[in-house]
């Protein structure tokens, strides 16, 4: 089962910031938070990931709470092309070859960017 | 282009048949993951291989099997096909098999069972 919970759907006005929340209250200290998105039926696309510090790249920002039990993905200026299903997942970060990594996706949040 | 290649892109077959889906990971990636996505459903993790060895198994049916070859490409074999097996099958690859590297997904193989 997925270790994260997300709202099933959200709307955002074009040009505004889209803030997508994710709850991962059972996250372990050795697990990363990853965000992916899937546009229509294309292969999921990596967006960003973080361990405990806030992260920013050219696509988005990731804000992780101090207790690491939740995070928010921020798309600063949403466009129509950002309409997609956004997945928040946790992944083990132990650098051991004996680790396994099921990478379980939950239902995600369906983001609709409205003109 | 993620660098992950899946073939075939589309496949139509009949119930009871057997098909093989192929995945070529990005150059240098050692880990391959397989996912099933039925219509309007989420991504269901099937199985993961790392450098030729099975590493993690999800809700993969006994009628399904997979392997990763020495050249690191992987195949997912689906047998005794049922209507409910109609889905998009995604392959993803990463450099290693744990959480320090992103997964790169292919564009999927769409299987239709009639």
């Amino acid at each position: 089962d997925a270790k994260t919970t997300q709202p099933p759907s959200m709307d955002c006005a074009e040009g505004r910031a889209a803030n997508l929340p994710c709850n991962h209250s059972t996250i372990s200290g050795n697990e990363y938070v990853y965000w992916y998105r899937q546009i229509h039926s294309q292969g999921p696309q990596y967006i960003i990931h973080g361990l405990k510090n806030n992260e920013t790249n050219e696509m988005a920002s990731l804000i992780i709470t101090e207790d690491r039990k939740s995070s928010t993905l921020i798309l600063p200026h949403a466009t129509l092309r950002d309409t997609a299903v956004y997945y928040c997942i946790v992944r083990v970060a132990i650098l051991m070859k004996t680790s396994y990594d099921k990478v379980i996706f939950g239902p995600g949040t369906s983001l609709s960017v409205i003109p | 282009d993620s660098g992950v290649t899946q073939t075939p892109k589309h496949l139509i077959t009949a119930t009871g048949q057997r098909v093989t889906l192929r995945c070529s990971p990005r150059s240098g990636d050692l880990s391959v993951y397989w996912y099933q996505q039925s219509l309007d459903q989420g991504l269901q993790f099937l199985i993961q291989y790392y450098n030729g060895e099975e590493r993690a198994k999800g809700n993969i049916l006994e009628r399904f099997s997979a392997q990763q070859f020495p050249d690191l490409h992987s195949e997912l074999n689906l047998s005794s096909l049922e209507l409910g097996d109609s889905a998009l099958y995604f392959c993803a690859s990463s450099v290693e098999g744990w959480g320090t590297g992103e997964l790169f997904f292919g564009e999927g193989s769409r299987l239709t069972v009639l």
Side-chain angles (χ1 to χ4, degrees), chain A residues 66-78:
Chain A
E66 193 166 341
D67 63 6
R68 301 186 71 240
K69 293 185 176 182
S70 65
S71 61
T72 301
L73 177 75
I74 301 173
L75 307 178
H77 306 287

Side-chain angles (χ1 to χ4, degrees), chain B residues 4 6 9 16 18 20 23 26 38 40-41 52-53 59-60 70 72 74 81 92 100 110-111 113:
Chain B
V4 178
Q6 290 188 247
K9 292 191 183 333
R18 172 189 171 94
T20 297
C23 170
R26 291 188 324 147
S38 302
D40 295 329
Q41 297 292 314
E53 295 183 0
N59 299 323
I60 187 168
L72 300 177
S74 178
L81 285 169
T100 58
R110 183 177 294 280
L111 172 66
V113 182

Side-chain angles (χ1 to χ4, degrees), chain A residues 74-96:
Chain A
I74 301 173
L75 307 178
H77 306 287
T79 71
L80 298 179
R81 289 179 295 179
D82 292 322
T83 293
V85 177
Y86 287 78
Y87 300 100
C88 167
I89 61 175
V90 296
R91 293 180 65 192
V92 66
I94 301 174
L95 294 178
M96 293 172 57

Side-chain angles (χ1 to χ4, degrees), chain A residues 32 34 36 38 40-46 49 87 91-107, chain B residues 33 35 37 41-45 48 50 55-58 88 90 94 96-107 110:
Chain A
Y32 283 92
Y34 274 75
Y36 286 81
Q38 185 177 25
H40 193 45
S41 295
Q42 298 177 18
Q45 175 191 24
Y46 166 81
H49 75 281
Y87 300 100
R91 293 180 65 192
V92 66
I94 301 174
L95 294 178
M96 293 172 57
K97 291 187 177 181
T98 53
S99 299
Y100 62 87
D101 183 20
K102 289 190 176 183
V103 197
I104 306 295
F105 286 76
Chain B
Y33 305 73
Y35 289 86
Q37 188 172 39
Q41 297 292 314
L43 290 154
Q44 299 296 316
F45 171 76
Q48 180 211 356
Y50 175 77
R55 179 60 61 86
K57 185 176 278 191
L88 264 171
F90 288 105
S94 70
E96 73 288 284
W98 48 90
T100 58
E102 62 182 277
L103 266 63
F104 294 87
F105 282 81
E107 288 306 309
R110 183 177 294 280

Side-chain angles (χ1 to χ4, degrees), chain A residues 9-64:
Chain A
S9 63
M10 292 181 63
D11 291 338
C12 177
E14 188 178 17
R16 304 296 294 269
N19 296 280
L20 293 91
C22 178
N23 186 309
H24 33 79
S25 58
T26 62
I27 192 170
S28 301
N30 63 349
E31 289 179 318
Y32 283 92
V33 178
Y34 274 75
W35 284 83
Y36 286 81
R37 73 179 182 184
Q38 185 177 25
I39 297 173
H40 193 45
S41 295
Q42 298 177 18
Q45 175 191 24
Y46 166 81
I47 301 174
I48 198 167
H49 75 281
L51 188 60
K52 53 183 176 181
N53 297 320
N54 297 338
E55 302 288 345
T56 296
N57 63 20
E58 66 278 5
M59 290 183 67
S61 294
L62 174 60
I63 308 297
I64 302 175

